[in-house]
Amino acid sequence: MPEKSLDERAVDVARALAMDAVQKANSGHPGTPMALAPLAHTLFQDVLRHDPTDPAWAGRDRFVLSAGHASMLLYAQLYLTGYGLALDDLEAFRQWGSRTPGHPEHGHTLGVETTTGPLGQGFANAVGMAAAFRHTASQWGGDGLFEPTVYVVCSDGDLQEGVVAEAASFAGHQRLGNLVFVWDDNHISIEGDTAVAFTEDVLKRFEAYGFATDRVDDAEDRDAIRAALERGRDDRERPTLIALRSHIGYPSPNKMDTGAAHGSPLGEDEVRLVKEILGLDPDRHFDVPEDVLAHCRKAIERGKALHAEWDAAYATWAEANADVAAERERVLSGRLPDGWAEKLPTFEAGSKMATREASGQVINALAEVLPELWGGSADLAGSNNTTIEGAGSYLAESPQGRVLHFGIREHAMGSTMNGMALTGGVRPFGGTFLVFSDYMRPAVRLAALMGLPVTYVWTHDSIGLGEDGPTHQPIEHLAALRAIPGLDVVRPADAAETAVAWRTIVERGKPAGLALTRQKVATIATDASGVARGAYVVADPEADLPRAILIATGSEVGVALAARELLEAAGTPTRVVSMPCVEWFAEQDQAYRDSVLLPSVRARVSVEAAVTMGWERWVGENGECLGLDHFGASAPYEVLYEQFGITAERVAAAAQRSLSALGATQGAPTGN
């Protein structure tokens, strides 16, 4: 047998590292990293524009491992090519505190571009990345300088997920030619041969989406792989899907092409057999010969050369486009322009406006000073008020457009927005009805996990949407979304609060959802600065200290204010607190929280046209939670509020019951 080349030995070593890491952890997925080792080696050594010494280099291509369970495929390359991972990190695979978690996590491991775990998310993230790069490149120019190629490895499992159908349809329609997907066509999933569940002609399906398709019949043929990747890279008119026929667990003599190679260690005996087949010492673990490592680390010099070439081209461009370069640097740094908040509209007290309409006005005001603000709706722009007027539609023929048409693809909208935000060049927003946030939830959860600056414009936020009925009336959604760690859920009471909510969301740069009304609500006061702290006092007794506190969000703040008038007329001094964002209020120090929710006032009522779950924290054991712990109905919204008891009279009666339960003297405060 002829002596193996260094490239062939590097592929074998990557396979062994995957086997050893999974075996030591007694957990993980060895089969795909073994099968795709030639692909990964070819990508990182020959095709991918990257610099291991600067993982954040703006000119790099992006690599997304959508099949995140095959994380050792990526970790092996990050180690071998010099991203800073050490052998110790590979030995600590899936262990506490390691830099090699079970699925790749953005911000945790250098070289990981996005958090992938749930199948299909990485695929859709990559579509968002490609769309954002094309958009910002059209704004900045640079003749291709700012439109890198996004390479993706996806699995049979990815391609079965519905979100991939949505994202692929969007990518094909937009003709995102800076996207190259490699489908690991191995015919195996956890339950065995994919023939039991997945038999369509995938390439024809993707051709119908508008993709260029390609096929490589041998996953060991690195020359064929390289040629297919380069064909995909060079076709800038269509995204590309390459079907790569692989054999999971290759070259395991007993477990190749079986479900057993997918999600379990091969076993010590099988690992020994594979190493013997590869010509490696079966008694050595995590063994990387010096000449192999030196060969793989040539990626560093290649990367530095590509980086220097890009830097020179960038310097020439920046000199000729100084203003655009300065703006680009500002956007990528996350800095906001001076005086941007001064552009926010103000709203007159007493005026009536739906908060969705107010949000639309704020979006248009912000768009004048924040070119990075980019977004649209899942085919509900007229209802969500998400259109940036005069900005034009983002389409294949007009990538400079700032109005995104996601189509009726809520899940892909959420997932692609994550990819867009990960580029750093845009601050994406996307709209739909609050009830359809259910379709977005997996992507929203991952945005929160990564802390991405994405904004969800969720309108028609309660039974206030009226006649469409219970299928469209969100009841449990606010509580469910508040349960996601790291997500800010903001339900403003009026137009003034909406403006401050948007300002605060932009300043914080975190994932946030706005829950906005369809129906008109009165503007309570022009000063709603307290929104930034999550909750604040909107009304207090004129003389006496309050004996009851009413806490409300959104359109129910108006209901609470009307209830206060009834209580005051009955001799009960009452405070009304607007709490548009529970998360922001929970972040405040105890002194501020106590100044809003006076500890001595234990007669409290929360009112929100949604399930009452979670409000116990704020009303205490002696308070009452008023809401809807059942589904809605089809009728005009005024009738629904009356029939379901979200009225001033019901709120006032609840406050009186709370006072009565406390006793005549206990409800009277002695101070703050």
Side-chain angles (χ1 to χ4, degrees), residues 191-205:
E191 295 184 6
D193 195 308
T194 53
V196 300
F198 186 50
T199 55
E200 75 254 24
D201 189 324
V202 171
L203 293 188
K204 284 185 178 178
R205 171 158 71 102

Side-chain angles (χ1 to χ4, degrees), residues 28-32 34 248-249 252 255-264 266:
H29 301 73
T32 298
M34 294 167 67
I248 194 167
S252 170
K255 296 191 176 181
M256 184 175 72
D257 289 334
T258 69
H262 174 77
S264 302
L266 297 182

Side-chain angles (χ1 to χ4, degrees), residues 401-435:
R402 296 176 67 186
V403 180
L404 278 159
H405 303 280
F406 290 104
I408 307 166
R409 306 181 181 104
E410 294 89 353
H411 194 170
M413 177 173 71
S415 303
T416 57
M417 281 175 21
N418 289 349
M420 293 167 185
L422 284 162
T423 69
V426 294
R427 288 191 179 221
F429 64 90
T432 188
F433 292 171
L434 179 58
V435 74

Side-chain angles (χ1 to χ4, degrees), residues 52-368:
T53 66
D54 186 2
W57 169 35
R60 72 192 184 280
D61 289 335
R62 303 307 196 265
F63 172 67
V64 175
L65 181 63
S66 190
H69 55 274
S71 54
M72 273 305 303
L73 181 74
L74 176 56
Y75 297 151
Q77 293 304 316
L78 295 180
Y79 162 67
L80 290 169
T81 57
Y83 274 80
L85 283 185
L87 272 178
D88 286 348
D89 294 308
L90 303 188
E91 293 190 51
F93 179 56
R94 288 183 165 230
Q95 303 308 301
W96 174 262
S98 78
R99 291 191 289 173
T100 51
H103 292 78
E105 296 175 18
H106 176 66
H108 185 80
T109 308
L110 291 178
V112 173
E113 300 287 2
T114 182
T115 296
T116 55
L119 290 173
Q121 292 297 322
F123 186 109
N125 291 170
V127 172
M129 291 176 184
F133 285 135
R134 178 156 290 184
H135 173 69
T136 52
S138 72
Q139 291 184 314
W140 299 332
D143 193 25
L145 199 61
F146 306 121
E147 193 178 336
T149 302
V150 183
Y151 296 93
V152 186
V153 169
C154 57
S155 63
D156 291 307
D158 285 291
L159 300 189
Q160 291 175 61
E161 293 286 358
V163 67
V164 164
E166 295 181 24
S169 177
F170 179 83
H173 170 71
Q174 294 290 355
R175 302 204 295 273
L176 296 176
N178 51 347
L179 265 174
V180 179
F181 296 92
V182 180
W183 164 34
D184 177 25
D185 181 16
N186 65 27
H187 299 192
I188 294 294
S189 64
I190 291 175
E191 295 184 6
D193 195 308
T194 53
V196 300
F198 186 50
T199 55
E200 75 254 24
D201 189 324
V202 171
L203 293 188
K204 284 185 178 178
R205 171 158 71 102
F206 275 77
E207 286 171 11
Y209 288 141
F211 277 58
T213 60
D214 208 337
R215 179 175 288 282
V216 176
D217 291 322
D218 182 2
E220 297 301 299
D221 188 342
R222 288 183 294 105
D223 289 336
I225 290 170
R226 183 185 306 105
L229 291 170
E230 290 172 348
R231 285 193 295 271
R233 177 197 64 196
D234 295 341
D235 184 347
R236 304 308 271 189
E237 296 301 316
R238 298 171 295 174
T240 295
L241 178 71
I242 302 165
L244 177 63
R245 180 66 174 105
S246 70
H247 295 274
I248 194 167
Y250 179 89
S252 170
N254 298 302
K255 296 191 176 181
M256 184 175 72
D257 289 334
T258 69
H262 174 77
S264 302
L266 297 182
E268 294 289 353
D269 291 342
E270 192 71 10
V271 170
R272 290 183 63 86
L273 289 174
V274 175
K275 288 182 179 179
E276 288 171 355
I277 290 170
L278 295 175
L280 303 175
D281 186 343
D283 293 316
R284 296 179 69 90
H285 306 292
F286 298 96
D287 183 33
V288 181
E290 290 185 7
D291 59 341
V292 169
L293 185 60
H295 180 68
C296 292
R297 293 283 165 92
K298 288 180 180 178
I300 294 174
E301 295 309 313
R302 173 178 174 271
K304 286 181 177 178
L306 291 169
H307 197 159
E309 178 186 338
W310 187 90
D311 283 347
Y314 177 80
T316 300
W317 171 83
E319 185 176 0
N321 301 274
D323 291 343
V324 179
E327 184 69 350
R328 175 183 172 276
E329 291 298 324
R330 179 195 67 75
V331 170
L332 291 179
S333 71
R335 288 185 294 107
L336 296 168
D338 294 339
W340 69 276
E342 296 170 8
K343 288 287 186 179
L344 290 168
T346 57
F347 300 94
E348 198 174 317
S351 62
K352 284 195 169 187
M353 179 183 295
T355 55
R356 62 170 175 159
E357 182 183 350
S359 172
Q361 292 190 24
V362 174
I363 286 171
N364 277 275
L366 289 173
E368 293 183 22

Side-chain angles (χ1 to χ4, degrees), residues 564-589:
R564 173 183 172 273
E565 292 182 9
L566 297 177
L567 289 164
E568 292 272 345
T572 303
T574 303
R575 166 176 287 188
V576 174
V577 170
S578 174
M579 191 179 288
C581 184
V582 170
E583 294 79 20
W584 295 348
F585 186 61
E587 289 177 4
Q588 305 306 311
D589 59 37

Side-chain angles (χ1 to χ4, degrees), residues 597-627:
L597 299 180
L598 304 172
S600 55
V601 181
R602 293 184 290 149
R604 301 178 185 176
V605 178
S606 68
V607 53
E608 185 173 67
V611 296
T612 57
M613 181 187 300
W615 285 107
E616 302 89 346
R617 174 182 182 183
W618 305 110
V619 301
E621 62 182 7
N622 300 110
E624 290 205 19
C625 304
L626 197 62

